Amino acid sequence: EKTSSVLRLSAMQCDAKAVSTIAHAAAGLGIRDVSVAAGVVAAASERLQDFDRQGVANLAWALAKMPKVKGRLKLAKELASRSHGLLSDFSPQELCNVLWALGKLGVRDNKLMSLASDTARGKLDAFTPQGLSMLAASYARVGIFNESLLEEIRSKAEAQLVKLNSRDAAQLVWSHAKFKLCNESFLEKICEHAAKLPLAEGNELL
């Protein structure tokens, strides 16, 4: 109740940074309170033009973790549009969070995904194994086949194979299977590696 009250404050008292921080913290703690989610959506919608790249990334990720409430999908679509001009500013982790979250929220923005592919391919060396797997899964989730990007992700992931955890491995295998990509050598290696790993915590692999 206290969190919801804070979100109802004016923009002067609770600015965009505060809203994104509250949203990210609540989602990270696993808070599934509908009133908090509704408060985040309402407050963020009023201040969207004031969100910086970190705020956009944190808010998108939080929305994907929060309960479905009125206005959430509309806000997610507006975040996708806002992200068009922020792609070159996003860190690899922020880019992955935004694309993963939008896919989870059911937003398919073809222009964004095309621009994001160009951006990501220029700095894949900076992506962690988790980032590579999230990036691949983001395209698979919305059904956008980008073979050149997936091939580059496969190559980078294969070079970091020993660093993959079970969730990363599952997302990479699933994203390849989604588009019927069959690189037998890679799939054999990743499956052999995954078989030695403990299962990911929780029940959400993808």
Side-chain angles (χ1 to χ4, degrees):
E1 179 60 37
K2 185 175 181 180
T3 301
S4 300
S5 298
V6 171
L7 290 167
R8 287 195 291 270
L9 294 173
S10 69
M12 289 291 290
Q13 297 168 296
C14 182
D15 61 12
K17 185 174 182 179
V19 173
S20 69
T21 300
I22 290 170
H24 193 264
L29 291 170
I31 296 174
R32 303 281 299 171
D33 189 296
V34 172
S35 64
V36 172
V40 166
V41 168
S45 297
E46 292 175 358
R47 302 161 175 78
L48 190 58
Q49 71 279 4
D50 298 324
F51 278 74
D52 60 13
R53 55 137 184 89
Q54 185 179 31
V56 167
N58 286 347
L59 178 60
W61 181 85
L63 286 178
K65 294 283 188 178
M66 288 182 163
K68 183 178 181 180
V69 294
K70 183 178 180 181
R72 187 180 74 158
L73 181 58
K74 180 176 182 292
L75 176 58
K77 290 178 178 179
E78 290 172 346
L79 282 173
S81 297
R82 180 103 167 79
S83 296
H84 287 196
L86 297 172
L87 289 172
S88 61
D89 298 323
F90 285 138
S91 70
Q93 185 62 53
E94 289 165 349
L95 179 61
C96 290
N97 283 349
V98 168
L99 298 184
W100 174 86
L102 292 175
K104 190 80 173 171
L105 290 163
V107 176
R108 174 170 170 153
D109 186 320
N110 291 345
K111 181 179 179 180
L112 175 64
M113 299 305 279
S114 177
L115 293 171
S117 172
D118 294 338
T119 300
R121 290 176 67 188
K123 52 185 176 183
L124 280 182
D125 285 336
F127 281 67
T128 63
Q130 180 191 41
L132 293 170
S133 66
M134 285 179 68
L135 186 61
S138 297
Y139 282 81
R141 186 180 290 279
V142 296
I144 294 178
F145 181 42
N146 189 318
E147 186 172 9
S148 57
L149 175 62
L150 286 173
E151 175 57 25
E152 290 188 39
I153 289 174
R154 180 206 61 75
S155 177
K156 299 296 183 183
E158 190 166 6
Q160 302 184 62
L161 195 63
V162 295
K163 298 179 182 179
L164 295 175
N165 62 30
S166 55
R167 180 180 283 107
D168 301 333
Q171 290 195 123
L172 285 166
V173 171
W174 175 74
S175 61
H176 278 67
K178 172 88 173 183
F179 298 117
K180 297 181 172 59
L181 294 176
C182 186
N183 185 304
E184 292 186 11
S185 174
F186 173 64
L187 292 177
E188 285 178 7
K189 289 177 182 177
I190 199 170
C191 288
E192 286 176 6
H193 172 68
K196 303 171 186 176
L197 299 172
L199 289 175
E201 294 182 4
N203 57 17
E204 184 185 346
L205 280 179
L206 304 174

